[in-house]
Amino acid sequence: TKCLQAIQEDTRDHLLRKVGRMLWQNNGVKMRLTHAALLNDRFACIDRADHGRYHLFTDADGPDADPHDHAEWGFWSRIVSGGYVEHIFNSDGTYEVVTRKEGDNFRVEADTVHRIVELLAPETLTHVAPDVNTGNGPAMAYQYREDGIYKRPVFGGDWKKV
């Protein structure tokens, strides 16, 4: 709810200016930001005029959250400021713990299943460069249960065994 409260208190223009300041402070780059949207209570999406996208995290999914994929498209990501720890899942439900720090560049495939379990700073800003030619459907959430793997669309729906 931290992100929800912050963005509800901020106007759209204020959020765009805030992220613009973060970019200026971390990169010395000024740019026109064109759109800001709250995606959930921990996460906002900010679009750039030159087709880039920034994600502002104010809280992690948490270690008990259902992991998810990005089935719409794979993407390149760069940590602009802050950082996070994530779980990247294997097909058997086990996972690797990966720490992403400021300045890290990495690829996330459309079928990568993960969850962000901890932020390394109160706010983390990432730049995302989508590869729209890699998608294969809507983003899915996953549960690893004793009787198998289940999935459903991230934004709701019934759980189905894979």
Side-chain angles (χ1 to χ4, degrees):
T1 61
K2 202 168 23 171
C3 185
L4 181 61
Q5 291 170 345
I7 292 175
Q8 284 177 338
E9 292 169 5
D10 289 345
T11 64
R12 173 190 164 276
D13 289 340
H14 180 77
L15 181 60
L16 293 174
R17 284 193 303 273
K18 176 181 180 177
V19 171
R21 280 193 307 274
M22 290 173 80
L23 292 170
W24 174 252
Q25 291 166 353
N26 285 281
N27 294 324
V29 175
K30 286 188 178 182
M31 60 186 64
R32 179 170 152 65
L33 300 170
T34 57
H35 177 75
L38 176 67
L39 298 183
N40 61 36
D41 62 350
R42 303 174 303 278
F43 176 76
C45 179
I46 300 90
D47 290 330
R48 276 177 29 182
D50 65 353
H51 307 293
R53 175 169 282 179
Y54 285 89
H55 292 165
L56 177 64
F57 296 87
T58 59
D59 204 354
D61 300 331
D64 297 322
D66 293 327
H68 62 277
D69 66 19
H70 294 270
E72 298 95 339
W73 34 260
F75 57 92
W76 286 97
S77 187
R78 180 173 57 86
I79 306 294
V80 176
S81 67
Y84 55 79
V85 177
E86 68 179 320
H87 292 164
I88 299 177
F89 283 77
N90 302 308
S91 60
D92 65 358
T94 62
Y95 58 83
E96 306 296 324
V97 178
V98 177
T99 300
R100 309 287 191 186
K101 297 179 182 173
E102 188 171 313
D104 286 355
N105 291 288
F106 52 95
R107 173 90 180 155
V108 177
E109 298 299 336
D111 61 354
T112 298
V113 177
H114 75 135
R115 67 179 165 219
I116 296 173
V117 296
E118 177 187 359
L119 295 186
L120 301 179
E123 294 180 326
T124 292
L125 184 65
T126 65
H127 176 247
V128 174
D131 182 354
V132 295
N133 297 315
T134 61
N136 60 5
M140 303 297 281
Y142 293 82
Q143 288 185 349
Y144 297 90
R145 302 178 186 176
E146 286 184 22
D147 66 335
I149 301 170
Y150 289 75
K151 71 179 185 177
R152 69 168 173 81
V154 166
F155 297 109
D158 294 329
W159 290 101
K160 294 183 179 163
K161 192 170 184 178
V162 177

